[in-house]
């Protein structure tokens, strides 16, 4: 891509190398530790599903039992292999037996001792191989399915128009999603119920009661996938399904998404730490395993840097977004994600009352495009300065649409004129899609026609943000990312590594004993 901003490529390269070193310092901790959720995701990958009579997921029951027996540091998979070999039952029956108390992790089954003595690693692999292979085949099948559908139902050249549904009832979400597709939406994001990220289990089945959104469950994923495939066939284009792989169950939701062919996941390496007060170290371990699953499932991740600008000023703190994008990119690369799946985030959040604010927005959007040319950048709409004035909101959204087209963005989340008033009605979404489609059609090739004044305001603003991000990354490298988070260097929010939800669910892997068949 030819630069329109005359950015210092040496400085960009230095930012990327510094971010790599920042991620490297944490990678040793990440690969030497696991979490309760990572272990539960291993069970789900091997096909374990379902809940007990109280609604507790069997994956939680098995991991908790292995933990109480003092064997989780060796990985849940090894103990499960021991128990399956000892009892002669499959994984689903084994979990059911543990749930009912018929099978003890260390104990007897109808008088017979099972699982007390660990099997040799070779034998464990043999026991679990059919389950591991079946899980990987299931993901591969979904990847092939997506490729075939996208070939038959091509999408718009972009940007992809991305809207949300958030009724709390999956069946009502389906109605709204199909309606949005008919109006021109390319991506449907099902907003998750408020505070689900703080649950240390994944709810089960189809749900109809959520607050501010709908629970992320595997059945809800299946229902919406089926609905969007149907809507896509009618519209003649493939429709992306989006949800959240974040919070305390980040890796498990990634598994469910892989099995149900979701296309994008909000999967940030630091969002849960900063905005949900989830333990820092747990989040770093969870994000890595969830992203390895996304790599296998060919799922695009969306990072959450746009959120920084909802708590910090979008002019003064623009460099923190860029610095975080560099760091998020490196964590994603370490999990195997290629650039085409790394949907880094940024936002149109500068106060509209600021003189030449639109020029600054264009500068930052163009800068993102040039620094991450192969990434499907996700551009977020204005929210912070939107009031109840729907006419003003619609006007600002159109400025956002124009900035998106002028800078060649990839994924365009629609601004809604009733932002800050209520969850969008069908009519609100129609007006937003109409505006975005108008801009996309009338400005289709404008990005290739535009150049910016050398030494002008747009170029100089982009250079200023890059320079500040470069300085910030150097400071983060000096003190370490964990300390940077503790000092509140991102989004002006401070998070101590010793605090936060889910800290008890992080543990060091037993040297020479830990076994995870999906990490081999």
């Amino acid at each position: 891509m030819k630069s329109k901003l005359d950015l210092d490529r040496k400085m960009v390269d230095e930012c990327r190398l510094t971010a790599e070193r920042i991620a490297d310092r944490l990678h040793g901790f990440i690969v030497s530790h696991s979490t309760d959720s990572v272990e539960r995701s291993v069970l789900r990958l091997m096909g374990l599903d379902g809940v007990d009579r109280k609604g507790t997921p069997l994956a939680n029951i098995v991991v908790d039992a292995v933990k109480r027996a003092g064997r989780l540091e060796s990985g849940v998979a090894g103990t499960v292999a021991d128990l399956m070999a000892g009892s002669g039952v499959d994984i689903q029956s084994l979990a059911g037996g543990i749930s009912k108390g018929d099978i003890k992790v260390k104990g007897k089954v109808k008088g017979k001792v099972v699982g007390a003595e660990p099997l040799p690693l070779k034998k464990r692999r043999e026991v679990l191989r059919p389950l591991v292979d079946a899980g990987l085949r299931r993901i591969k099948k979904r990847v092939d399915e997506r490729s075939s559908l996208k070939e038959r139902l091509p999408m718009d050249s972009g940007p992809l128009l991305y809207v949300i549904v958030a009724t709390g009832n999956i069946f009502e979400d389906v109605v709204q999603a199909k309606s949005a597709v008919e109006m021109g939406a390319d991506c449907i994001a099902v907003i998750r119920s408020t505070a689900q990220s703080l649950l240390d289990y994944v709810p089960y089945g189809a749900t109809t009661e959520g607050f501010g959104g709908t629970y992320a469950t595997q059945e809800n994923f299946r229902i919406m996938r089926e609905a969007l495939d149907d809507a896509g066939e009618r519209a003649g284009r493939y429709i992306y399904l989006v949800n959240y792989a974040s919070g305390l169950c980040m890796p498990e939701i990634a598994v469910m998404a892989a099995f149900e062919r979701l296309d994008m996941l909000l999967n940030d390496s630091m969002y849960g730490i900063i905005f949900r007060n989830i333990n820092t170290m747990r989040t770093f371990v969870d994000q890595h395993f969830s992203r390895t699953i996304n790599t296998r499932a060919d799922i695009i991740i969306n990072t959450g840097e746009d959120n920084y600008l909802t708590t910090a000023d979008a002019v003064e703190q623009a460099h923190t977004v860029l610095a975080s994008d560099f760091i998020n990119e490196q964590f994603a690369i370490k999990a195997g994600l290629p650039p085409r799946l790394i949907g880094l985030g940024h936002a149109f959040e500068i106060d509209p009352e600021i003189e030449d604010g639109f020029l600054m927005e264009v500068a930052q959007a163009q800068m993102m495009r040039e620094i991450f040319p192969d990434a499907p950048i996700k551009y977020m709409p204005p929210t912070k300065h939107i009031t109840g004035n729907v006419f003003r909101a619609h006007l600002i959204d159109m400025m956002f649409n124009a900035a998106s087209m002028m800078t060649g963005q990839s994924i365009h989340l629609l601004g809604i004129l009733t932002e800050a008033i209520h969850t969008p009605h069908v009519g609100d979404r129609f007006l937003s899609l109409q505006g975005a489609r108008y801009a996309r059609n009338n400005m289709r090739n404008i990005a290739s026609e535009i150049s910016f004044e050398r030494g002008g305001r747009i170029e100089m603003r982009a250079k200023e943000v890059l320079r500040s991000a470069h300085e910030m990354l150097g400071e983060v490298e000096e003190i370490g990312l964990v300390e940077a988070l503790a000092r509140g260097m991102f989004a002006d929010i401070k998070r101590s590594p010793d605090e936060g939800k889910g800290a008890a669910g992080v543990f060091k892997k037993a040297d020479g004993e830990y076994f995870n068949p999906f990490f081999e």
Side-chain angles (χ1 to χ4, degrees), residues 14 139 210 289 321 396 486 494:
E14 287 177 359
I139 293 173
F289 193 60
V321 169
I396 297 172
K494 298 178 181 179

Side-chain angles (χ1 to χ4, degrees), residues 465-509:
V465 174
L466 174 60
R467 189 164 50 248
S468 297
H470 181 265
E471 291 174 5
M472 180 178 177
L473 285 166
E475 187 178 349
V476 172
E477 183 186 15
E478 187 175 332
I479 63 175
L481 182 55
V482 172
E483 179 60 24
L485 289 162
R487 293 186 187 182
M489 289 179 68
F490 297 94
D492 290 342
I493 296 173
K494 298 178 181 179
R495 297 301 187 200
S496 166
D498 301 321
E499 300 173 351
K501 300 171 180 67
V506 188
F507 60 88
K508 192 172 188 312
K509 298 174 183 174

Side-chain angles (χ1 to χ4, degrees), residues 163-235:
V163 301
I164 65 172
V165 294
T167 70
N169 180 326
I170 186 61
F171 301 106
E172 182 62 27
D173 281 348
V174 163
V175 174
Q176 295 227 359
K178 284 188 166 183
S179 162
V181 172
E182 289 179 9
M183 297 173 195
D186 302 304
C187 310
I188 302 293
V190 181
I191 299 300
R192 215 165 43 167
S193 182
T194 299
Q196 186 182 345
S197 61
L198 303 182
L199 298 179
D200 210 354
Y201 68 94
V202 182
Y204 184 76
T207 65
T208 57
E209 294 181 352
F211 183 79
T214 305
Y215 286 103
T217 74
Q218 188 162 343
E219 179 63 7
N220 286 348
F221 287 178
R222 188 196 64 75
I223 290 170
M224 185 57 81
R225 177 72 277 167
E226 186 177 282
L228 293 186
D229 282 350
D230 178 60
E233 291 286 352
R234 294 170 187 272

Side-chain angles (χ1 to χ4, degrees), residues 97 210 451-452 489:
S451 59
F452 302 113
M489 289 179 68

